[in-house]
Amino acid sequence: MTTVSLIQLPATAPDLIGTAEQQIREAADSDLIILPEAWYPGYFSFDGYQTASEMTPKLLDRLAALAVETGSCLHAGSLIEGDGGTLYNTSYLFGPDGEQLGRYRKMHLFGYGSKEQEYLTPGTEAIVADTPLGRFGLAVCYDLRFPELFRRMTEMGAIGFLVASAWPYPRVEAWLTLLRARAIENQAFMIASNGAGQTGYQTALCGRSAVIDPWGTTVASLNGEPGTIAARIDPVAAKAARSKFPALADRRLLGEPGNDLVLRTDDGTPVRFTARRLILAGYTARDSDAVAAYIAKLEEEGIAPPDEVPSYFVLGADRLTTDTAIEVATASSCGEVEYALLVGDGEVWVAAASDHTDRALETVDMAASKQTCQKVLSADVWRLSELEDHWDDLSFRATTPSDANTPYQAGPVAALKPPSELLRLVEDRFGGPMTGTVILSGTIPALGEFEYHPSFKAELRDPVTARSLTAAYSVINVLEDN
């Protein structure tokens, strides 16, 4: 279990910094401590924002030291940050060693009776931070009215949200409703700290800081007065809720911007992966004799031998898809089963994949043949870290058409280079950063000749856990079907 402390600071006080430091020390037994939005110099103290921004670096040093002193993760609420003459409303999260785990610039600036839009610049990036307690998304106050931000953070792996706020009294019911809604719709913890009391600008903050669990149940809350409250939560409860009641997995309108892939883990939790480059590896068998035999077989098909072994092809990330249908402009294209490695920020995901290829063009221009067709990934993924101890037990199976009883390809994944070696080879060959890189592993030989059918299914099977990843799709020849 994890202890979370919400510090509901007064909107005004003779010594705001001293008050905050004292209450942080009093919450030293907590695993996580969270402060409100713009508690220094106070949210409505717009004329003091520039001066406050100059104080922020020193204040952050003091807060980082307090994280070390208390041995807690310390969410510093939000402070006014200056950057090249531009001001931001920025949240900071420190680990128990004082290291900064996350920094989030408030994206949605409030304009209704507020000068925030006049003084500040909005941030542009959703932030999810890895902490000793789990992966948490950061948000600030008015962000609560924009559910797409919280869904994006959920897709980035967040099990909960840390929200710093300066929410005023006239909209207290909206505050309570939105906190619960964001928790329920994302099946995530909501941990929100608000300011309390009169601000001195004819506005009072409503308090009501709260911890809400992934089912929407309030675990702990405060009233409208300054104070502190502690709550006990189990971070694993988010995964349990998503597994027991898989609402996130039942979504259909995913809204995938750019080259983002929305994937799913075993329990239905969505993972949004931003693909920045796609690298196809080829001739990756561990057995050099098998590589030579495969190259010889391809030469019989009229395909020239590679210049290097392993060989690599770099494609645009837009060639990746998890769709169940792809379009081609040839009657001689087919898939091939592979495993894919998706290198995220702190996590490597494994998917089943098909390197669909125009075989006729392959005999003329290998690189062009690879670019012509989309590469299909399974929508479900596994964590590589959960497979490494039994990786060589995994197996491939492919069928074409997809419902065929006889396999088109079948064999052990151990025939190919393991993920650790493939990752090293790609990094050595292309350099970093690796985050956002998708690597297709290369394939095993077909059991017969190339076959061209209107559907293909690639499977990655794990006999140890009795589960499979599947990339199945139909092939639409636009020249014949239109």
Side-chain angles (χ1 to χ4, degrees):
M1 298 290 284
T2 294
T3 301
V4 176
S5 284
L6 308 178
I7 296 179
Q8 189 165 280
L9 289 170
T12 58
D15 181 9
L16 284 167
I17 295 175
T19 300
E21 290 184 342
Q22 178 183 345
Q23 294 194 31
I24 290 169
R25 289 190 172 98
E26 290 175 357
D29 292 336
S30 303
D31 300 295
L32 171 66
I33 302 168
I34 178 171
L35 302 176
E37 175 188 18
W39 56 271
Y40 178 84
Y43 175 79
F44 288 96
S45 301
F46 299 110
D47 292 342
Y49 274 14
Q50 180 61 52
T51 301
S53 72
E54 296 166 4
M55 174 69 176
T56 294
K58 291 183 179 179
L59 182 52
L60 290 173
D61 287 342
R62 292 171 70 172
L63 292 167
L66 279 169
V68 175
E69 180 182 330
T70 60
S72 308
C73 289
L74 175 59
H75 186 295
S78 76
L79 297 167
I80 307 305
E81 174 198 22
D83 185 0
T86 302
L87 298 181
Y88 299 91
N89 186 344
T90 305
S91 281
Y92 301 86
L93 177 62
F94 297 101
D97 58 359
E99 292 297 314
Q100 183 175 290
L101 301 179
R103 183 188 72 170
Y104 166 71
R105 290 171 169 173
K106 185 179 181 181
M107 297 177 69
H108 302 98
L109 301 182
F110 195 55
Y112 182 68
S114 164
K115 296 182 180 180
E116 188 174 37
Q117 294 181 0
E118 177 183 342
Y119 282 84
L120 302 178
T121 297
T124 59
E125 186 179 4
I127 297 296
V128 174
D130 287 309
T131 80
L133 318 176
R135 197 160 164 79
F136 285 87
L138 307 183
V140 178
C141 199
Y142 189 43
D143 284 332
L144 280 169
R145 290 184 179 269
F146 302 90
E148 58 270 26
L149 171 61
F150 292 82
R151 181 51 52 84
R152 180 63 183 267
M153 292 189 290
T154 300
E155 292 165 346
M156 294 168 67
I159 63 166
F161 311 115
L162 308 180
V163 179
S165 191
W167 201 279
Y169 255 109
R171 293 173 293 280
V172 63
E173 291 302 322
W175 163 256
L176 297 173
T177 300
L178 292 171
L179 289 180
R180 294 188 66 200
R182 298 296 86 86
I184 292 168
E185 68 197 8
N186 294 290
Q187 299 181 287
F189 284 100
M190 174 61 71
I191 301 170
S193 179
N194 194 30
Q198 192 65 40
T199 66
Y201 291 86
Q202 299 184 335
T203 302
L205 304 184
C206 70
R208 271 72 173 187
S209 300
V211 177
I212 299 170
D213 76 11
W215 296 97
T217 301
T218 300
V219 177
S221 63
L222 286 162
N223 58 20
E225 300 299 321
T228 300
I229 194 168
R232 298 273 287 170
I233 65 170
D234 183 359
V236 176
K239 182 176 180 179
R242 293 167 179 177
S243 179
K244 185 175 183 179
F245 186 77
L248 290 171
D250 292 337
R251 292 179 305 142
R252 290 297 175 264
L253 298 178
L254 299 179
E256 304 176 16
N259 295 323
D260 282 13
L261 300 166
V262 178
L263 309 165
R264 296 184 300 266
T265 61
D266 279 356
D267 61 6
T269 300
V271 175
R272 185 179 289 272
F273 182 88
T274 301
R276 296 188 172 90
R277 63 177 177 179
L278 168 60
I279 296 173
L280 309 182
Y283 311 108
T284 55
R286 301 185 195 184
D287 184 343
S288 58
D289 291 337
V291 173
Y294 184 58
I295 292 172
K297 180 180 179 181
L298 293 179
E299 284 191 275
E300 292 176 4
E301 301 282 346
I303 299 169
D307 293 330
E308 61 176 332
V309 175
S311 60
Y312 306 96
F313 299 93
V314 180
L315 277 64
D318 63 342
R319 296 286 77 198
L320 288 167
T321 185
T322 57
D323 288 348
T324 56
I326 64 170
E327 294 182 337
V328 299
T330 174
S332 57
S333 73
C334 64
E336 57 186 34
V337 64
E338 308 195 2
Y339 70 81
L341 301 176
L342 295 83
V343 185
D345 184 8
E347 190 81 71
V348 178
W349 303 97
V350 176
S354 174
D355 176 9
H356 203 89
T357 302
D358 182 340
R359 299 301 180 185
L361 183 56
E362 192 173 35
T363 64
V364 179
D365 188 329
M366 175 75 81
S369 72
K370 295 295 185 184
Q371 294 281 356
T372 300
C373 302
Q374 286 185 296
K375 313 306 173 186
V376 184
L377 303 180
S378 59
D380 296 300
V381 293
W382 298 330
R383 289 177 174 83
L384 176 60
S385 59
E386 297 176 356
L387 301 169
E388 289 179 308
D389 63 347
H390 64 279
W391 178 262
D392 284 356
D393 293 321
L394 274 60
S395 64
F396 288 125
R397 190 176 192 273
T399 51
T400 188
S402 59
D403 60 355
N405 292 321
T406 303
Y408 172 67
Q409 292 172 283
V413 172
L416 302 181
K417 294 186 184 301
S420 58
E421 184 176 356
L422 192 56
L423 288 166
R424 178 183 58 78
L425 287 168
V426 169
E427 186 170 16
D428 289 347
R429 177 71 164 73
F430 295 96
M434 290 287 284
T435 300
T437 299
V438 179
I439 306 168
L440 266 62
S441 65
T443 192
I444 58 176
L447 298 177
E449 303 301 318
F450 290 140
E451 295 183 24
Y452 310 115
H453 296 285
S455 62
F456 189 87
K457 181 166 71 173
E459 292 181 87
L460 183 61
R461 297 178 168 184
D462 182 353
V464 174
T465 59
R467 57 183 182 170
S468 297
L469 295 174
T470 301
Y473 57 97
S474 58
V475 183
I476 302 168
N477 186 336
V478 296
L479 299 183
E480 292 181 352
D481 297 345
N482 291 291

